[in-house]
Structure formats: C-alpha cells, structure tokens
Amino acid sequence: MWKRRVALENRVFTGTTYLLPPVGLSVISDIDDTIKQSCVLDKKELMRNTFLQEFKPVPGMSQLYQSWSKRGAAFHFVSSSPFQLYRELHAFLERERFPLGSFHLKQIRAKPSAVLNLLSDPFERKCSTIGSIIDAYPTRTFVLVGDTGEKDPEVYGEIYRRYPNQIWRVYLRDAGEQSTERRFDAAFADVPPDIWTVFQDASEISLPEESTCR
C-alpha cells in the first residue's frame, strides 16, 4: 500500500494504492446492512441513515474483519452507495477500525433523477463490478460477504456459478423478512451447501483453516 498526492489546477488530491500479490485471500464486502446499519428495506429509513445520521456499525463485524486481516486478507468494498459518500464511508471504516481496502461505489450524477438511480436494482451493477475485481486477480481466492436485505444472495450465487474455482466462501448477514428457504434455494441453485452461510451474529462465522482453501 502506498499513498500519492497529485496537484491539479491548484487543488491537491490524495489517494491510496493497494498492491496485491497474485496469490492470496481477498474479501469482497457489501457495506449497507453488512458492516453499516442502513435499513435498506425501509427506503425512508435508508435515506436518513445514509444522508442525515451518523453511520453506525453492525456489531461484531469490525472485529471479524480485523481477524481476517491478521490472516493476510485484502478487502474490496462493493456498494450501491453513491461515490459522493466516499469520504464519509472511509472515515467510518477508520473510526470503527475496519481494515481499509479498495472502494467500488455507485456513480451517480448530482441531479434530481439521481435518487431513482440510487434506489434501482443493484443486481447487474454488482455482478459486473465484482466480476471485474475477480478478473483482475485470476489466481486469488475470494470470500464474499453481504446481507439478505437486497440482492446479495442472488448476486453472490451468480458470481459463484461464474467463478466456482475462485470463490471460497459466501457469508450473508440475515437482514430479516426476505430470508426464506425458497429464496435461498433459487439464489444458490447449483452452489454446494457448504459454500454459503446465513448468519445473524458475526461471532457465528469464521474462515476455515487455510489448508482447506481450494
């Protein structure tokens, strides 16, 4: 990891570059309702938690990610949150002691219709974004972490079917009413049952020993 400052038109920008070896473990993590309390299923509450209130962490997730980081995991945060929230999300991760990593946020223009784009179905965009990360590191192994509130089960099931040799585990935080057996059966069709886990508390999950990594 290294930082660089760039001057452009009398403005200074600071960025961080993460250099990953070709082999290793990467965690692709959602943000809303996975590590940050957002209430995605309640759109009014989502707007409040996104734009009006201080970000609150999902209990236990920082400690879980810290433990994975100590095992050498790199992190990629893929979210439907607008890129305009990057500074706030970065500060949230630092404040709550989450391991830092690359951010892959939604590109939204500053105009009234952007609100509709913010609430649009995330399936295609997340599949494309996650696919591009995996394609960039064809010999790394990936763990996918999300929640059941929106389309993470469907997205992660599809990603496994596309990249079965690189996806080690899928972990989904139970976000409530949409967690049904029928939904999971459809989302994870043709995915081995030992690959994916739905959890309610971060203490329920842990990575298997490295010797079992495919």
Side-chain angles (χ1 to χ4, degrees):
M1 179 182 74
W2 61 284
K3 294 186 177 182
R4 183 180 181 184
R5 292 170 64 85
V6 178
L8 180 64
E9 297 179 352
N10 297 320
R11 295 177 295 170
V12 176
F13 300 87
T14 300
T16 302
T17 300
Y18 295 89
L19 303 178
L20 301 183
V23 176
L25 177 66
S26 282
V27 176
I28 294 179
S29 174
D30 179 51
I31 294 177
D32 292 306
D33 288 329
T34 298
I35 64 172
K36 178 175 77 68
Q37 298 182 41
S38 301
C39 297
V40 169
L41 296 179
D42 183 333
K43 298 308 180 185
K44 290 184 179 180
E45 191 66 19
L46 171 63
M47 292 295 105
R48 284 194 288 267
N49 290 330
T50 300
F51 298 109
L52 300 177
Q53 309 214 18
E54 182 178 83
F55 295 162
K56 297 179 181 178
V58 171
M61 293 302 290
S62 174
Q63 293 84 347
L64 177 67
Y65 281 19
Q66 286 176 37
S67 70
W68 293 354
S69 178
K70 290 177 182 178
R71 290 179 57 175
F75 289 81
H76 312 270
F77 295 96
V78 177
S79 172
S80 294
S81 293
F83 77 94
Q84 288 91 342
L85 289 179
Y86 167 74
R87 288 186 179 180
E88 289 77 8
L89 289 170
H90 187 277
F92 163 74
L93 262 63
E94 285 192 317
R95 185 182 75 240
E96 301 300 334
R97 300 184 180 278
F98 281 94
L100 297 181
S102 61
F103 278 80
H104 308 264
L105 306 178
K106 195 169 189 177
Q107 298 291 324
I108 295 180
R109 296 181 179 179
K111 56 183 181 180
S113 60
V115 174
L116 297 177
N117 190 26
L118 179 63
L119 300 177
S120 63
D121 190 323
F123 180 85
E124 292 297 338
R125 178 194 165 271
K126 292 193 79 169
C127 282
S128 176
T129 301
I130 293 172
S132 67
I133 295 171
I134 298 175
D135 287 338
Y137 302 101
T139 53
R140 289 183 70 85
T141 299
F142 291 84
V143 171
L144 310 179
V145 188
D147 63 89
T148 64
E150 278 197 308
K151 290 297 182 69
D152 285 346
E154 290 76 15
V155 170
Y156 292 172
E158 178 62 22
I159 291 296
Y160 180 88
R161 287 186 287 272
R162 295 181 188 180
Y163 303 93
N165 294 323
Q166 285 183 261
I167 306 304
W168 187 14
R169 291 291 187 276
V170 174
Y171 295 112
L172 294 164
R173 177 175 173 266
D174 189 347
E177 60 191 51
Q178 296 195 17
S179 299
T180 65
E181 184 175 350
R182 176 180 295 182
R183 179 190 184 190
F184 296 142
D185 286 346
F188 293 105
D190 302 320
V191 178
D194 61 331
I195 293 294
W196 60 278
T197 300
V198 178
F199 68 95
Q200 293 185 327
D201 189 278
S203 63
E204 299 173 20
I205 63 174
S206 62
L207 286 178
E209 293 301 317
E210 292 182 7
S211 60
T212 66
C213 183
R214 294 167 298 137

